[in-house]
Amino acid sequence: MAALLEVKNLGISFGGLRAVDDFEISIKKGQLYGLIGPNGAGKTTIFNLLTGVYKPSEGVISLEGNNITGLKTIEINKAGIARTFQNIRLFKDLSVLDNVKAGLHNHYKYSTLEGILRLPNYFKMEKAMNEKAMELLKVFELEGEADYLAANLPYGKQRKLEIARALATEPRLLLLDEPAAGMNPNETMELMDTIRFVRDNFDMTILLIEHDMKLVSGICEELTVLNFGRILSQGKTSRVLNDPQVITAYLGE
Amino acid sequence: MKKFKLGKNMKDNIITYGIVIIAYVIMQILVSTGHVSSLMQGLLVPLCVYVILAVSLNLTVGILGELSLGHAGFMCVGAFAGAFFSKCMKNVITFGLLRFVLAILIGALAAGIIGFLIGMPVLRLRGDYLAIVTLAFGEIIKNVINVLYIGKDSRGLHFSTKDSLSLGLEPEGDVIINGAQGITGTPKDSTFTIGVILIILTLIIVLNLIHSRDGRAIMSIRDNLIAAESIGINITKYKLMAFSISAALAGVAGVLYSHNLNSLMATPKNFGYNMSIMILVFVVLGGIGNIRGSIISAVVLTLLPELLRGLSNYRMLIYSIVLIVMMLFNWSPKLIDLRKRYSLKRLLKRTREVQ
Ligand SMILES: Nc1ncnc2c1ncn2[C@@H]1O[C@H](COP(=O)(O)OP(=O)(O)OP(=O)(O)O)[C@@H](O)[C@H]1O
Ligand SMILES: [Mg+2]
């Protein structure tokens, strides 16, 4: 079976810094895949390359067999990749519900005129959007806070809302950048369940960056370890975590 | 839950419309019972102009989150486009209201198109370039109009940038735009009632836009551009949409303004930098993104200097104190807290709980 995401020879330099070099990955549909590595290894940069925030210096990215290298961010989202951010990027002055509805933007449409004149299609589509958004909020147990401003949510819930918003765009591949950062152990445990739930119930393929080893070893089937922009180890989680090179990189010399 | 959400926006909007309508009715009663000085009556149409300007600028500044320093420039475009049309059609369309409605549409269209053309290159850039470009536009447009001569005779329209003689008009021809002397003899179609109707139409457009799919897209760009892109929102399209609509509505205000005057000239006083800044002051003091606040602050800050006229020397002192108080009221975190704690809604709720 062809892979959902296939990346070959991906690289980028910032001035003299080789942030990512000869990166490759192959993720099958329905997989829960982990991307780990020390600070500054280039993990977030890879997400930025996959989502078109940065243009790669070289390499090919293909999603479901289509070459998406060099496409703009919004085209990549339409092609089926959605993400969350390491430093949370919510629409902080919009309500929690509206954050998710913004994610539904390209799937529930009505014209500007229908919106301004409040024609029947406006009410029909808004109702459908409200229902869909509430459904997504329920998955993350945020339905009670639907009317809150996103900025007023506690940290852990903000991270969940970002995932809900990304899911609203109906992606094939979901990229999570340190989803458990700033969460306490209890919240992290809950999040692991939620991520599994999303994979199973939304038919999702997930690539996640994480520092929390318990989360990584708990839910990821395969791992890629990155160090100084290069792949240090790649493969089944249990094998990778026992790789002496990985242990050295993590524990230091 | 969902119903409640829709209802909340609706309730909020109804209060805004209500304030406008009640203020209008009270004013009409005061005028008809002779309680309003003629000076004050002369201020009613400009008041509507300022309210529309403030609300429309808030769409750019508060909802889109871009700074525009040339809003008066778009007003100027609308004012001249509308007045030009009305003067040309004065003897063709004799039904005044129809002519005025068409003039308003033309003024809105002209200002909207100019807004679109300015926004197209500038809003693609990341950074605060819009402020600089709109500032320049506001200054340039006055000068362009001041050297523009347009006349009409039986052979059609004639243009010149030198003087009215070089138009080469037939003896019975008519100079419509006469350079720095502008347009004289625009039909005086603007009334307070039409002004209020235009305010309400502006509110319908702006408020309904904000609470729609497009409005959400616009505000998501304001709140976080990178995240908006990541969920597939077309940044340039929605920035342009908000900015063009904002410019078009400023054009409407311009048409209202020009049809309230016998002679329309583009001077630094009416369409200059100071005017753009004054509108921005209305928006900032009323609360950025707060449409109702824009209306109230435009009205208060326009009427205040007139109401205080009797106090002669203390007038500007009191005016500045009011400015400061309004700023504190809207922006100081402590006062915002206090306001929330003692808001009418909460007080009502509390009395209900007590009972
Ligand atoms: N836009 C940029 N310009 C210059 N250098 C950059 C840029 N983006 C990233 N880098 C550099 O690339 C390297 C990799 O950064 P990246 O953010 O991908 O690391 P990371 O693996 O996500 O680290 P962390 O675990 O701390 O999030 C760093 O040295 C960083 O300074
Ligand atoms: Mg990172």
Side-chain angles (χ1 to χ4, degrees), chain A residues 14 17 19 38-45 54 86 178 211:
Chain A
F14 298 114
L17 177 77
N39 288 113
K43 305 178 296 292
T44 300
T45 304
Y54 299 151
Q86 183 173 353
E178 304 200 13
H211 283 295

Side-chain angles (χ1 to χ4, degrees), chain A residues 154-227:
Chain A
Y155 196 76
K157 295 197 170 187
Q158 293 198 6
R159 287 223 173 267
K160 288 184 177 176
L161 178 57
E162 254 205 333
I163 304 177
R165 181 182 68 188
L167 274 180
T169 69
E170 299 179 16
R172 292 300 147 79
L173 174 67
L174 182 61
L175 309 179
L176 305 178
D177 198 343
E178 304 200 13
M183 288 189 177
N184 63 36
N186 263 340
E187 288 177 311
T188 306
M189 291 294 283
E190 268 180 45
L191 182 73
M192 285 167 68
D193 290 337
T194 314
I195 292 175
R196 268 197 219 99
F197 179 89
V198 166
R199 192 264 302 268
D200 297 340
N201 285 269
F202 289 81
D203 239 350
M204 196 58 56
T205 310
I206 300 175
L207 172 62
L208 63 88
I209 296 175
E210 195 39 79
H211 283 295
D212 188 321
M213 279 306 151
K214 232 170 73 200
L215 187 145
V216 171
S217 56
I219 65 174
C220 294
E221 290 131 12
E222 281 191 45
L223 288 182
T224 291
V225 187
L226 215 59
N227 199 15

Side-chain angles (χ1 to χ4, degrees), chain A residues 74 77 89 91-94 98 101-102 105-106 108-110 112 116 118 122 126 129 147 165 169, chain B residues 2 4-5 208 211-214 216-217 220 222-224 226-227 229-233 238 241:
Chain A
I74 68 166
N77 179 258
R89 290 179 175 276
F91 307 131
K92 58 181 173 36
D93 287 332
L94 296 189
D98 277 347
K101 283 167 84 178
H105 187 82
N106 286 324
Y108 294 77
K109 296 186 177 176
Y110 56 85
T112 308
I116 287 178
R118 297 280 143 111
Y122 162 85
E126 283 290 316
M129 283 171 119
D147 280 341
R165 181 182 68 188
T169 69
Chain B
K2 277 165 288 149
F4 173 63
K5 170 81 196 161
N208 285 359
H211 299 293
S212 74
R213 171 176 173 270
D214 296 325
R216 242 178 342 255
S220 72
R222 169 196 70 190
D223 281 1
N224 203 309
I226 291 174
E229 254 182 334
S230 84
I231 56 169
I233 286 172
Y238 285 103
M241 179 190 287

Side-chain angles (χ1 to χ4, degrees), chain B residues 60 64 66-68 74 110-127 129-135 137 235-248:
Chain B
T60 295
L64 176 61
E66 294 274 346
L67 187 56
S68 167
F74 296 112
I113 289 172
I114 301 275
F116 183 83
L117 292 178
I118 289 176
M120 191 125 84
V122 179
L123 291 171
R124 279 172 199 280
L125 305 173
R126 303 283 152 91
Y129 298 102
L130 191 70
I132 300 163
V133 174
T134 47
L135 176 62
F137 160 72
I235 306 290
T236 310
K237 173 181 162 184
Y238 285 103
K239 278 187 171 182
L240 262 179
M241 179 190 287
F243 186 63
S244 310
I245 292 176
S246 165

Side-chain angles (χ1 to χ4, degrees), chain B residues 85-148:
Chain B
F85 171 82
S86 292
K87 201 178 165 192
C88 281
M89 294 292 155
K90 211 170 177 176
N91 302 318
V92 183
I93 308 174
T94 45
F95 180 38
L97 190 63
L98 173 69
R99 190 184 56 223
F100 192 40
V101 168
L102 289 174
I104 288 166
L105 290 176
I106 284 168
L109 197 68
I113 289 172
I114 301 275
F116 183 83
L117 292 178
I118 289 176
M120 191 125 84
V122 179
L123 291 171
R124 279 172 199 280
L125 305 173
R126 303 283 152 91
D128 294 326
Y129 298 102
L130 191 70
I132 300 163
V133 174
T134 47
L135 176 62
F137 160 72
E139 294 306 298
I140 291 167
I141 190 73
K142 292 190 321 260
N143 296 322
V144 169
I145 285 171
N146 280 333
V147 296
L148 197 62

